[in-house]
């Protein structure tokens, strides 16, 4: 159950919104709220801060500080946090607040004296932007924050953006292989080169917006004045979901600068730590495993097992032990050190020569990489049906077992779609080439009233038609059923007799009306045609009509065979296009239902899709302002949606 303080803050959030919508300014009620949770000597006031060189900050609605009551301006040394408020936050408003916060963070501050316990207090200023509502979706505000951070020292970045009716944007830190955790403003100097990612992290759950702010603000105020007692952080945020979405990742470099993670380091192709070795004793017992992770302009070493990490770093040069070691229950991780891949290998070689350990390279996975096509992520087919669906799968809450079942089932779907795309393309090109030749008088002879076709295509055309229709039918009727079943969606009735379909779709309408309507339209427009044609081929001996050749005015004209009243090339192209849409949309629909609490998907407008990866869907926060995608049937071609 949520704690009483968590519940109280939620109630105060609702009251602030109610008062604002009743026409009252936000500033005074917000400061009263803050004052109720700030122990002495903390105070909250409106105004400016000034440093020892008489540099004056912009004015803020809320300055949280430890100064006396009678100063005209808050001394920078006493300033712990500023809050810039907006009634309705847009991108321009965020930019203006960001500049104000950067200015106040840049004020001069004197050194902090250690407390009686020997702790050095925090010396930065936390910067918060707070609004009731927002013209821009929360995701767009987060993306703007990423742009504003570009080229600035991270000590000047805005720390928190709160929109009471949408959610929060904060920073989250993450050590390799570990879940994300909240991040507080760093010290103004003396950076520890910690091996962590820093993410801009957006969360929905607006009812907990002030809880989230307090859960970061109050712990920071404790570090700013360590002798003061504050409520337990977990009680402040009790009951709040932890789910959200990362917007941009950062890493420290060897100079202590927080920089965007280069694309080549965002994802390792096969595993997180690409290099490693194991240390054994004389009897072959593994004592430790040592791994290397590339990191900006340096590297990170991780050691698991019995031996201390220092036993290996001592062979990596004098600077390898210059940073504090992160000691976790299952591993030890170095700081960011000047160590390249080549130097890591040399470290392993020196360890083998200069210690009594037996050093052996880690066994590497035996990967087989095969070329599956000539298309890259710039192709909508690859970007959407391969990368796009798998990215959604990665974000959904499936668990390892379900994840593997989905992958196995979806592999069959993709294999089938790739086959019908290739065969349909070959079929269309073959017929088009043959028609052009015939119209030019090539490959045909006319003797009397007889037309002789020297290079007939009927058998090959019939073979490819049967291949496309048969595989397309299996993809829809069999393989996609398996994919959707792993995600808890049942569509088997789509391929049953009409009375059974009508009965089952009527039941579905009560709980999933959008899926019921989609399946009804799909059956009416194309899937029933495909199933009937497949059955006719496999069970009724149907064969593609022959290509017709007619002599007109001494020239031979070719007539294209029909399938269900439609020219064969049009029928095949239409069915392949429908299958691609069907697979993408039903996969996205089923994965959407498996997303974490507060996270869904949104459709990227065609004009905004990146040339290098033309994905159709992206993650979106429920209530964050982005339109949430809803499954609906359409007749647009795959590449036009």
């Amino acid at each position: 159950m949520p704690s009483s303080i968590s519940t109280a803050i939620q109630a105060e959030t609702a009251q602030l919104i109610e008062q604002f919508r009743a026409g009252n300014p936000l500033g005074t009620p917000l400061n009263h709220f803050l004052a109720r949770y700030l122990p002495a000597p903390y105070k909250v006031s409106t105004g400016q801060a000034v440093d020892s060189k008489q540099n004056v900050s912009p004015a803020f609605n809320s300055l949280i500080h430890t100064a006396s009551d009678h100063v005209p301006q808050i001394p920078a040394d006493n300033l712990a946090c500023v809050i810039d408020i907006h009634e309705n936050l847009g991108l321009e408003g965020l930019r203006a607040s960001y500049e104000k916060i950067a200015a106040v963070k840049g004020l001069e501050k004197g050194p902090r004296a250690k407390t009686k316990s020997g702790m050095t207090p925090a010396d930065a200023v936390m910067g918060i932007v707070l609004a009731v509502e927002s013209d821009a979706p929360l995701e767009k505000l987060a993306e703007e924050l990423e742009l504003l951070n570009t080229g600035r020292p991270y000590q000047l970045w805005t720390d928190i953006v709160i929109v009471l009716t949408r959610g929060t944007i904060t920073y989250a830190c993450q050590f390799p292989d570990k879940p994300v955790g909240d991040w507080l403003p760093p010290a103004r100097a003396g950076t520890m080169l910690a091996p962590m990612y820093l993410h801009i992290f957006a969360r929905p759950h607006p009812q907990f917006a002030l809880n989230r702010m307090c859960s970061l603000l109050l712990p920071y105020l404790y570090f700013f004045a360590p002798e003061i007692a504050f409520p337990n952080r977990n009680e402040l945020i009790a009951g709040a979901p932890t789910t959200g979405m990362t917007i941009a990742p950062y890493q420290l470099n060897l100079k202590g600068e927080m920089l965007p993670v280069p694309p080549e380091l965002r994802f390792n192709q096969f595993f997180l730590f690409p290099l490693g070795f194991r240390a054994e004793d004389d009897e072959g017992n593994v004592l430790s495993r040592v791994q290397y992770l590339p990191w900006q302009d340096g590297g990170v070493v991780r050691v698991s097992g019995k031996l201390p990490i220092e036993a290996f770093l001592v062979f990596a040069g004098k600077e390898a032990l210059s940073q504090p070691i992160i000691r976790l229950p299952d591993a030890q991780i170095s700081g960011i050190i000047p160590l390249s891949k080549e130097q890591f290998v040399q470290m392993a070689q020196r360890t083998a020569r200069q210690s009594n350990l037996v050093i052996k390279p880690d066994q590497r996975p035996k990967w087989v990489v095969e070329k599956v096509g000539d298309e890259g992520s710039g192709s909508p087919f690859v970007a959407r049906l391969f990368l796009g669906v798998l990215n959604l799968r990665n974000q959904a809450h499936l668990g390892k077992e379900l994840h593997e079942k989905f992958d196995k089932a979806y592999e069959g779907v993709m294999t089938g779609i790739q086959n019908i795309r290739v065969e349909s393309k070959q079929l269309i090109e073959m017929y088009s080439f043959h028609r052009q030749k015939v119209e030019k008088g090539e490959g045909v002879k006319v003797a009397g009233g007889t037309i002789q076709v020297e290079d007939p295509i009927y058998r090959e055309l019939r073979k490819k038609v049967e291949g496309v229709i048969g595989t397309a039918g299996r993809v829809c009727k069999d393989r996609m059923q398996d994919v959707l079943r792993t995600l808890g969606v049942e569509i088997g009735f789509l391929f049953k007799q009409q009375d059974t379909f009508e009965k089952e779709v009527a039941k579905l309408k009560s709980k999933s009306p959008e899926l019921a309507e989609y399946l009804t339209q799909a059956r009416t427009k194309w899937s029933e045609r495909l199933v009937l044609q497949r059955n006719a081929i496999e069970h009724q001996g149907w064969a593609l009509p022959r290509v017709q050749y007619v002599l007109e005015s001494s020239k031979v004209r070719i007539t294209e065979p029909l399938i269900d009243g439609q020219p064969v090339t049009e029928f095949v192209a239409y069915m392949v296009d429908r299958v691609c849409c069907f697979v993408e949309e039903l996969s996205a629909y089923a994965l959407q239902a498996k997303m974490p609490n507060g996270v869904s998907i949104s459709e990227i407008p065609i004009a905004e899709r990146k040339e290098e990866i033309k994905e159709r869907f992206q993650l979106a926060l429920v209530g964050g302002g982005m339109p949430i995608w809803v499954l609906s049937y359409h007749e647009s071609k795959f590449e036009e949606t």
Side-chain angles (χ1 to χ4, degrees):
M1 294 293 291
S3 69
S4 58
I5 190 170
S6 174
T7 303
I9 293 174
Q10 291 175 61
E12 299 224 39
T13 304
Q15 289 175 10
L16 280 176
I17 296 172
E18 184 178 349
Q19 291 176 13
F20 168 76
R21 288 178 172 169
N24 298 314
L26 178 63
T28 300
L30 174 65
N31 285 354
H32 288 164
F33 162 79
L34 292 168
R36 286 193 288 275
Y37 291 90
L38 296 178
Y42 277 112
K43 306 174 186 67
V44 57
S45 58
T46 299
Q48 297 170 294
V50 61
D51 66 15
S52 58
K53 296 183 178 180
Q54 299 307 303
N55 297 309
V56 179
S57 78
F60 289 91
N61 178 83
S62 306
L63 297 98
I64 300 172
H65 59 88
T66 58
S68 67
D69 292 325
H70 306 295
V71 294
Q73 294 172 323
I74 307 303
D77 287 348
N78 297 96
L79 183 63
C81 176
V82 295
I83 303 177
D84 201 35
I85 68 167
H86 297 259
E87 294 180 351
N88 195 317
L89 182 64
L91 297 182
E92 286 296 332
L94 177 60
R95 293 173 193 136
S97 290
Y98 189 99
E99 295 298 332
K100 290 175 64 177
I101 288 171
V104 75
K105 282 175 173 274
L107 293 179
E108 292 286 335
K109 282 198 170 194
R112 304 296 306 274
K114 289 186 177 182
T115 65
K116 295 178 182 179
S117 63
M119 182 176 176
T120 300
D123 63 352
V125 176
M126 177 177 275
I128 301 173
V129 180
L130 188 145
V132 178
E133 296 170 340
S134 173
D135 287 335
L138 207 61
E139 298 91 334
K140 296 298 182 184
L141 293 173
E143 291 171 3
E144 184 64 26
L145 199 61
E146 178 187 7
L147 292 175
L148 292 169
N149 288 345
T150 303
R152 288 182 184 269
Y154 72 104
Q155 291 87 349
L156 301 183
W157 294 357
T158 292
D159 299 293
I160 305 173
V161 178
I162 304 286
V163 180
L164 297 180
T165 56
R166 292 201 187 279
T168 60
I169 304 169
T170 61
Y171 289 91
C173 58
Q174 182 182 26
F175 289 92
D177 294 341
K178 300 300 176 185
V180 296
D182 287 319
W183 166 262
L184 296 177
R188 292 161 61 88
T191 301
M192 183 183 85
L193 299 184
M196 66 178 183
Y197 290 86
L198 186 67
H199 303 276
I200 296 177
F201 200 71
R203 290 183 175 97
H205 326 301
Q207 69 274 29
F208 290 98
L210 284 185
N211 297 71
R212 180 70 57 189
M213 183 185 81
C214 290
S215 75
L216 295 171
L217 171 61
L218 298 189
Y220 182 69
L221 296 181
Y222 166 77
F223 289 114
F224 192 85
E227 305 298 334
I228 301 172
F230 283 91
N232 180 281
R233 179 183 183 277
N234 292 333
E235 293 181 2
L236 292 169
I237 205 163
T242 59
T243 52
M245 57 185 285
T246 58
I247 303 296
Y250 299 89
Q251 289 177 328
L252 288 165
N253 66 7
L254 290 173
K255 296 178 182 178
E257 301 165 330
M258 191 70 75
L259 301 176
V261 179
E264 66 270 17
L265 294 184
R266 291 196 181 192
F267 304 98
N268 293 113
Q269 188 174 6
F270 297 126
F271 39 78
L272 184 60
F273 286 78
L275 287 177
F277 62 86
R278 60 190 188 278
E280 300 178 353
D281 61 21
D282 292 336
E283 297 180 357
N285 300 309
V286 177
L287 301 177
S288 286
R289 294 186 182 276
V290 185
Q291 297 170 297
Y292 173 81
L293 176 67
W295 200 276
Q296 290 286 348
D297 50 355
V300 173
V301 175
R302 179 175 66 177
V303 174
S304 58
K306 298 178 180 179
L307 299 177
I309 191 172
E310 292 87 347
F312 302 97
L313 292 183
V314 71
F315 298 108
K318 61 181 181 179
E319 294 186 32
L321 290 168
S322 62
Q323 293 297 320
I325 304 298
I326 307 297
R327 303 189 191 276
L328 303 172
D330 57 349
Q332 306 161 76
I333 305 177
S334 75
I336 305 164
I337 58 178
L339 191 71
S340 66
K341 292 180 182 180
E342 294 75 16
Q343 290 169 326
F344 176 78
V345 173
Q346 293 169 10
M347 181 187 85
Q349 293 169 344
R350 282 194 290 270
T351 305
R353 289 196 308 266
Q354 301 175 34
S355 73
N356 59 356
L357 299 172
V358 177
I359 302 301
K360 295 182 179 179
D362 251 348
Q363 293 181 351
R364 308 293 291 277
K366 294 180 174 60
W367 299 97
V368 176
V369 180
E370 296 180 352
K371 181 178 178 180
V372 296
D374 295 321
E375 296 174 289
S377 58
S379 156
F381 174 78
V382 173
R384 290 163 53 179
L385 282 171
F386 182 65
L387 294 176
V389 170
L390 297 188
N391 282 340
L392 294 180
R393 175 263 275 150
N394 286 341
Q395 301 298 327
H397 274 183
L398 300 185
K400 182 179 179 181
E401 183 179 351
L402 197 57
H403 185 120
E404 291 175 351
K405 286 183 178 179
F406 175 87
D407 283 0
K408 184 177 180 181
Y410 196 72
E411 182 182 5
V413 169
M414 283 301 297
T415 299
I417 292 182
Q418 287 170 323
N419 289 341
I420 62 174
R421 287 182 78 234
V422 169
E423 285 207 288
S424 65
K425 181 180 179 181
Q426 292 173 348
L427 181 155
I428 293 169
E429 290 176 348
M430 178 177 64
Y431 179 80
S432 176
F433 180 72
H434 182 69
R435 178 178 57 78
Q436 291 172 12
K437 282 183 61 179
V438 170
E439 289 177 352
K440 292 177 182 178
E442 300 174 1
V444 292
K445 291 182 179 179
V446 179
T450 303
I451 300 173
Q452 297 178 358
V453 181
E454 297 178 341
D455 189 17
I457 63 169
Y458 172 70
R459 290 184 180 178
E460 188 63 22
L461 190 66
R462 174 180 172 181
K463 178 182 176 181
K464 289 190 178 298
V465 165
E466 292 178 357
V468 171
I469 292 174
T471 302
R474 284 190 291 276
V475 167
C476 294
K477 186 176 179 182
D478 304 320
R479 299 178 189 179
M480 267 306 288
Q481 278 199 70
D482 291 341
V483 168
L484 296 173
R485 236 176 240 130
T486 66
L487 302 175
V489 176
E490 180 58 62
I491 64 164
F493 62 88
L494 174 63
F495 309 101
K496 302 291 185 181
Q497 294 295 327
Q498 186 64 24
D499 57 344
T500 302
F501 172 79
E502 291 175 356
K503 186 187 303 181
E504 294 299 322
V505 83
K507 294 178 185 177
L508 184 63
K509 283 182 180 178
S510 61
K511 58 179 182 179
S512 302
E514 67 284 353
L515 178 59
E517 178 61 21
Y518 185 92
L519 295 178
T520 299
Q521 291 293 330
R523 182 180 174 98
T524 302
K525 300 291 177 59
W526 65 272
S527 71
E528 183 73 354
R529 293 176 66 201
L530 176 63
V531 170
L532 291 175
Q533 196 61 52
R534 179 191 173 197
N535 290 342
I537 292 171
E538 296 184 356
H539 305 298
Q540 299 167 18
W542 181 89
L544 179 72
R546 289 184 174 275
V547 178
Q548 298 296 313
Y549 302 88
V550 180
L551 184 62
E552 291 184 351
S553 303
S554 73
K555 289 187 177 182
V556 177
R557 181 175 61 82
I558 187 172
T559 302
E560 188 172 345
L562 301 180
I563 301 179
D564 194 25
Q566 190 173 11
V568 59
T569 55
E570 292 181 15
F571 181 90
V572 166
Y574 177 73
M575 287 300 170
V576 171
D577 184 81
R578 291 297 87 197
V579 170
C580 288
C581 292
F582 183 79
V583 168
E584 179 188 41
E585 287 156 1
L586 287 186
S587 297
Y589 172 81
L591 288 167
Q592 184 181 35
K594 295 291 185 180
M595 290 293 165
N597 180 18
V599 178
S600 188
I601 62 176
S602 180
E603 187 171 12
I604 306 170
I606 293 177
E608 296 177 17
R609 295 175 193 173
K610 299 177 182 177
E611 283 299 318
E612 64 272 19
I613 177 167
K614 296 182 178 180
E615 287 183 282
R616 179 181 175 188
F617 297 111
Q618 63 185 353
L619 293 186
L621 300 173
V622 177
M626 294 288 286
I628 301 302
W629 177 72
V630 177
L631 177 69
S632 62
Y633 186 82
H634 62 84
E635 281 288 337
S636 303
K637 291 183 178 180
F638 178 79
E639 296 195 0
E640 296 173 357
T641 56

